[in-house]
Amino acid sequence: MVKRSAGRTSKPAGADTERPPTLSVLVIHGPNLNLLGEREPGIYGRTRLPDIDRGLKELGRELGLEVETFQSNGEGEIVSRIQQARGRVDALLINPAAYTHTSVAIRDAIIALDVPTVEVHLSNVYRREPMRHRSTIADIVAGRIMGFGAESYVLALRSVRGLVESSHAKQG
Ligand code: DQA
């Protein structure tokens, strides 16, 4: 995890050509997303989860982001994984899947994690049943990306560096 600019006032030699620091990003996929590719392909597409994860790790290398991925069907396991990330990651991308619509525990864990977070969905939940319109995390995340299929994760990952930098700038 990158420490907030650590009060650096003068640039070391060669600083202008320095690469930006590598940021650490945790990507969490909620229940049933292990079935991507097989599950309702008309809604979620044909890309499988390991392919999404591999693509995110590759893109992360290009963008200077170290990407770690995690999928679980259990709410408690997701809460525990978010807790383990405290103080260790710079940003969180999360598709809580069905827990999006119900989980106060995941909301509380994200608040405690206290890093820029993007809510990701493959489908546009507003084009679907009303029960999917509610999100327990919509008001605590930096942004929400949905409706682009597997590309939603890519767009979210591309937003990470800007979100982290602007959150550090706000904290001063
Ligand atoms: C989802 C949308 C949720 O409503 C659903 O329960 C999912 C996937 C999506 O990515 O579109 O499992 O989060």
Side-chain angles (χ1 to χ4, degrees), residues 31 33 39 44 95-98 100-101 120-123 125 128 132:
L33 294 175
R39 171 193 180 210
Y44 299 118
N95 181 351
T100 306
H101 317 301
V120 180
H121 299 285
L122 296 118
S123 64
V125 291
R128 303 183 63 196
R132 296 184 203 275

Side-chain angles (χ1 to χ4, degrees), residues 51-71:
D51 297 323
I52 291 178
D53 286 347
R54 195 174 318 112
L56 292 176
K57 285 179 187 190
E58 275 170 24
L59 177 63
R61 280 192 284 276
E62 284 170 32
L63 299 175
L65 305 171
E66 193 180 293
V67 175
E68 198 179 331
T69 62
F70 176 78
Q71 189 277 330

